[in-house]
Amino acid sequence: MACAGRLAAVVLLAALPLAGCGTPPELRRPAPTTAPTRTAVPTTPSAAPTPPPATGLPGTGGITPTVDPGLVAVPCPDGPSGTRIVDLVRGRGGVLPNGVRVRVRTGPLCAGEWHYTVLDVTGHETLQVITQGRPGAPRLVTAGTDVCTAEVRAAGPPGIRTRVCEGGSLGVPGA
């Protein structure tokens, strides 16, 4: 019987490695094509939520970008006044005599430290005026019916150049 015990042990040892293999891959059924569904387990976040990125929109707490003040000619919030421009053109500029009636039609419009004003002059053509500097002390750059001069083209801010050199004037005949 000792021989039979040994034989049984040898058969068992030979069969054991084969028993763990299971069905060969080529005989197995194909795996299902859909992934098994799982139930989500609610978890508590381990870190504080990330705030949304700053959009620059009002009320969102983001930084609001500022526009370059020279890009667009807008009504001057701090001057110079139309009266100041008329006085400048009459006085030191010597463009208009004192007896001529003048009315401010447009402006002054500001783009950076430059100002654009359109004046209606009784008995004469519409006068365009470009000034530059602080609102209380502007200097006359040019005045006339065509103020798109070399200085305005070279040194003027885009808001002024667009208005006077590229046909962006406010209803000024001939401009």
Side-chain angles (χ1 to χ4, degrees), residues 70-174:
L71 290 178
V72 178
V74 297
C76 301
D78 299 323
S81 67
T83 303
R84 177 73 180 111
I85 300 297
V86 170
D87 290 344
L88 184 64
V89 174
R90 282 187 199 262
R92 286 182 280 158
V95 177
L96 292 174
N98 285 332
V100 175
R101 185 169 173 243
V102 179
R103 180 182 68 85
V104 176
R105 177 194 286 186
T106 303
L109 301 176
C110 291
E113 287 193 351
W114 289 61
H115 322 104
Y116 172 69
T117 309
V118 179
L119 304 174
D120 283 332
V121 182
T122 302
H124 299 280
E125 292 184 75
T126 300
L127 183 67
Q128 297 179 71
V129 181
I130 306 273
T131 56
Q132 178 190 16
R134 292 187 338 262
R139 103 175 150 81
L140 182 64
V141 174
T142 187
T145 56
D146 181 9
V147 293
C148 185
T149 64
E151 182 179 5
V152 171
R153 284 183 188 269
I160 297 293
R161 285 193 320 262
T162 299
R163 183 153 309 268
V164 302
C165 296
E166 298 172 18
S169 62
L170 293 173
V172 178

Side-chain angles (χ1 to χ4, degrees), residues 10-114:
V10 171
V11 171
L12 183 62
L13 286 174
L16 249 163
L18 296 176
C21 293
T23 310
E26 52 278 349
L27 298 177
R28 291 185 190 156
R29 290 188 185 169
T33 57
T34 59
T37 58
R38 295 184 185 177
T39 305
V41 177
T43 60
T44 57
S46 59
T50 305
T55 61
L57 298 175
T60 63
I63 298 170
T64 303
T66 57
V67 176
D68 178 1
L71 290 178
V72 178
V74 297
C76 301
D78 299 323
S81 67
T83 303
R84 177 73 180 111
I85 300 297
V86 170
D87 290 344
L88 184 64
V89 174
R90 282 187 199 262
R92 286 182 280 158
V95 177
L96 292 174
N98 285 332
V100 175
R101 185 169 173 243
V102 179
R103 180 182 68 85
V104 176
R105 177 194 286 186
T106 303
L109 301 176
C110 291
E113 287 193 351
W114 289 61

